[in-house]
Amino acid sequence: MSTEAPPLSEPLEIQFDYTRSLGPVLGRFMTGLAERRIEGVVGSDGRVHVPPVEYDPATAAPLRDFVEVGQEGTVLTWSWCADPVAGQPIQRPFAWVMVRLDGADTAMLHAVDVTSPEEMHTGMRVRVRWADEPVGHIRDIAYFLPVDAPDDNPPTSPAPPRTEHDGIMVTPIAASYQHTVSPEESRYLRALGEGKLIGQRCPRCEKVYLPPRGACPTDGVPTTTEVELPDTGIVTTFCIVNVPFLGQQITPPYVVAYILLDGADIAFLHLVRGCEADQVRMGMRVRAQWRPREEWQTSMRNIAHFEPTGEPDAPYESFAHHL
Amino acid sequence: MNRVSVVGFAQSDCVRNTHGTTNGVEMLVPILAEAFERTGLSKEDIGFWCSGSSDYLAGRAFSFISAVDAIGAFPPINESHVEMDAAWALYEAWVKILTGEADTALVYGFGKSSAGTLRRVLSLQTDPYTVAPLWPDSVSIAALQARLGLESGRWSEKDMAEVAARSLADARGNPKAQRSGDHSVAELLDGPLTADPLRAHDIAPITDGAAVVILAAEDRARDIVPTPAVITGIEHRVDSPVLGARDLTRSPSTESAGAAVGIGEVDVAELHAPFTHQELILREALGLGDGVRISPSGGVLAGNPMFAAGLARIGEAAQRVMTGDAGRALAHATSGPALQQNLVAVLEAQA
Ligand SMILES: [Zn+2]
């Protein structure tokens, strides 16, 4: 019976600032927002679209005829968001609405700040609450309020950044995940935490994979048999990094190499140090240099780098099929 | 012209949270084996592979590349991917077989919906200029749509609860279901509003899961299984991404896809309706009368694995045909907020 611990799992936060060119239609709309003005575009049938669309939804004609619309509007439908998620306009329970601004024929999606769903009804009148410092972004409309409600200050999400160029909007997108590694990777990482290198052998083609992959990419069958590998091997191929880049942790030049451990069938990327960069060769024998034991984690970072052993190089034919 | 038939289907259990990775390998390996066993095929027999999944759902780039490990992609295979529900991957595979480039195809979809906050991740499907920066969660958007129908009299809360009650009751017979049970409509309507006007029973659960469908050219299909489910039509259409420009109480894209397919008489319809009111919209758009059995699997209210659930609807419908439970079955898949994009397929027993 297996009493294995569940797979390793860690929170993972990813973030990227999406920078988008706006073009003539959305550019004009966003520029208007920065000046606390809302403009729609007149469609082929005379309907006013807010937010503006670049092409008429029915005729596909390019639309360039702008018209300013009101900053009050009518709620066409609403829903209650009892548990807001990060990034939403209001960070306490609020209503989502489709609101048709006065002078517009289409509705826009936005948020209304009220304290309970009892204060909401279809047909109610709402007004724009502008962001304190508009930057030319949809979030310049901070949220909506019932027309007769005083300005308030609900908790909001951070405002998007101001951009230095016209016609550009920047939207930071951040997302949180619980990242889980596979059971095979978990055993591999836990073994690394004890200074051991655990690979897996495919039951069909007998290739040994390190890191283990869960399934053999050739055969598509689970790789089940564990194999402990030594911390010695060869450089199959390598490159010398001469170019500095953001986040670089080692001063160039340095060598990044594919290391094929003795007994493994797949190479992995690591650093080669302990000799001049121009001394590294294909086929060179290397051994892992482990960090001090007290720094070990469940990570390949426990191996600081690989260093030449001084043994004779492996002949090219012995590793050519791994290139 | 040669047509295309479904010859195999397998799906994972629908579960709230797997221990697996977001690249789906752990969910896919067993169901690939199951689909191969049922068809007697092996990976060497497959001419084309196509998958559906999402990197935003996985929280990592090129997650579908890691999933390829599960199918054994060396020596190189003829493979493709859609960042959509795998029902659209099936459409691509259908085209591939029709063009004669392959005579078999394996389609799979997977989603670990539990890795992030699903309703928040899905807001990134919306317009990136004027909508997504507000992070409108998928439940809130569907709730806006539900109220439009409730207040215009197109459906009632009772109609919605009836969809949930029937789905959960049917799911008792589905061992893969995540939710099932015997609930009266009155009991469901007693539940609190969780996303006013929606109640918990109106909203599909958050589900991790995967599905696999194997296709074959009609002339090969009967060598593989006794009664293949031939696809007599498959069409997909999209509505405007501008939510405020759509009549959200109707689904013109579903109606148009259904008309193009030529639905005719069907015994069963597996509908991909992640919210109860969306089933009501779909039934009307497809003209499905009282005589049509709707989502006998329990549908996605019983388990909604993102990027696999639409493919699983096609698989479920095909399964009914292959086992003789239905002579002719409809399958529907949706993608995007508030039923934005829709695919309709009709399958019947291959003569
Ligand atoms: Zn193998």
Side-chain angles (χ1 to χ4, degrees), chain B residues 3-9 39 214-232 314-315 317-324 326-329 346-351:
Chain B
R3 296 187 297 179
V4 177
S5 300
V6 174
V7 295
F9 169 55
T39 52
I214 300 181
L215 300 177
E218 187 177 19
D219 56 14
R220 265 215 62 192
R222 212 179 299 86
D223 299 336
I224 299 170
V225 286
T227 312
V230 65
I231 299 170
T232 63
I314 300 175
Q319 194 71 32
R320 301 266 155 194
V321 170
M322 289 192 285
T323 57
R328 197 171 149 85
V346 172
L347 305 104
E348 64 183 34
Q350 185 177 324

Side-chain angles (χ1 to χ4, degrees), chain A residues 101-129:
Chain A
L101 294 177
D102 298 341
D105 292 290
T106 62
M108 70 184 292
L109 180 73
H110 222 293
V112 172
D113 180 44
V114 289
T115 54
S116 86
E118 282 68 43
E119 296 169 55
M120 291 301 302
H121 64 271
T122 298
M124 74 187 277
R125 300 281 297 162
V126 292
R127 66 179 173 91
V128 170
R129 168 72 155 95

Side-chain angles (χ1 to χ4, degrees), chain A residues 202 204-206 209 216 218-219 221:
Chain A
C202 170
R204 201 164 292 171
C205 68
E206 308 228 307
Y209 295 104
C216 173
T218 304
D219 299 298
V221 296

